[in-house]
Amino acid sequence: MEYVLKYLEIAIIESCNLNCRGCSHFSPLAGSQDRESAEEFRKDIERMHELFPKVYKIRILGGEPLLHPEWTEILRMARQTYPYSEIHVVSNGLKIPHLTEAEFAAMREQKAVFDISLYKPTLNIKSAIESTLNEQQIPYEFTPYVA
């Protein structure tokens, strides 16, 4: 019998570039070193695949996952392990206009989607985020901010 998991969230880093008072992930308390290494992620995702060979949707999040120095490698490992899953990178979007071409290429190559949380600072640059992602041909969706 093959076990299927409909939804999986994986936090790869605890720190964030926002300091939201009501953060449900307690990111304001985390240090910049509170993160999973790519090697730890590889072991975790391989074990998850042993338990659940099929996952419909994977969300890579944090804190702010784009602060993780190995986030594109982690994204690649998730896609390699789950080639048919829908993969989302959950971000506050503040770093998106400043990503490198290699980071955008990783998103395209791994067929990943940005899931952008609309916090107040994100709203201030929403049009820049949209135009950047449209130019880069990266799919995205905005999640309304819930206070």
Side-chain angles (χ1 to χ4, degrees):
M1 178 161 144
E2 185 175 276
Y3 291 100
V4 175
L5 192 62
K6 291 182 181 180
Y7 181 81
L8 173 65
E9 285 190 342
I10 305 167
I12 63 170
I13 190 167
E14 296 300 323
S15 61
C16 184
N17 52 352
L18 289 176
N19 191 18
C20 301
R21 188 160 63 167
C23 178
S24 63
H25 294 272
F26 301 104
S27 292
L29 302 176
S32 62
Q33 298 304 310
D34 290 336
R35 63 178 179 245
E36 183 173 47
S37 71
E39 180 58 25
E40 290 168 324
F41 180 84
R42 183 190 61 74
K43 290 176 185 174
D44 290 347
I45 200 80
E46 287 175 357
R47 179 65 178 134
M48 184 59 69
H49 189 263
E50 290 171 11
L51 298 171
F52 297 96
K54 185 182 279 186
V55 175
Y56 291 126
K57 184 175 186 177
I58 298 170
R59 288 174 31 112
I60 297 172
L61 48 90
E64 173 53 52
L66 301 183
L67 293 176
H68 195 296
E70 299 174 295
W71 77 268
T72 58
E73 177 63 14
I74 287 169
L75 176 61
R76 186 192 63 73
M77 284 188 262
R79 174 57 68 209
Q80 185 177 8
T81 306
Y82 289 103
Y84 305 109
S85 296
E86 186 178 325
I87 299 179
H88 291 241
V89 176
V90 181
S91 172
N92 61 36
L94 297 179
K95 287 188 56 87
I96 289 174
H98 310 288
L99 294 178
T100 66
E101 180 52 43
E103 290 170 313
F104 288 123
M107 287 292 290
R108 286 189 299 272
E109 290 163 10
Q110 305 314 321
K111 297 176 177 65
V113 175
F114 271 120
D115 188 347
I116 304 159
S117 305
L118 283 177
Y119 297 104
K120 288 180 185 179
T122 307
L123 282 169
N124 293 334
I125 63 164
K126 184 180 180 206
S127 61
I129 293 169
E130 287 179 300
S131 78
T132 300
L133 293 176
N134 288 333
E135 276 178 29
Q136 293 292 331
Q137 299 179 326
I138 310 256
Y140 62 93
E141 54 191 47
F142 287 101
T143 302
Y145 174 67
V146 177

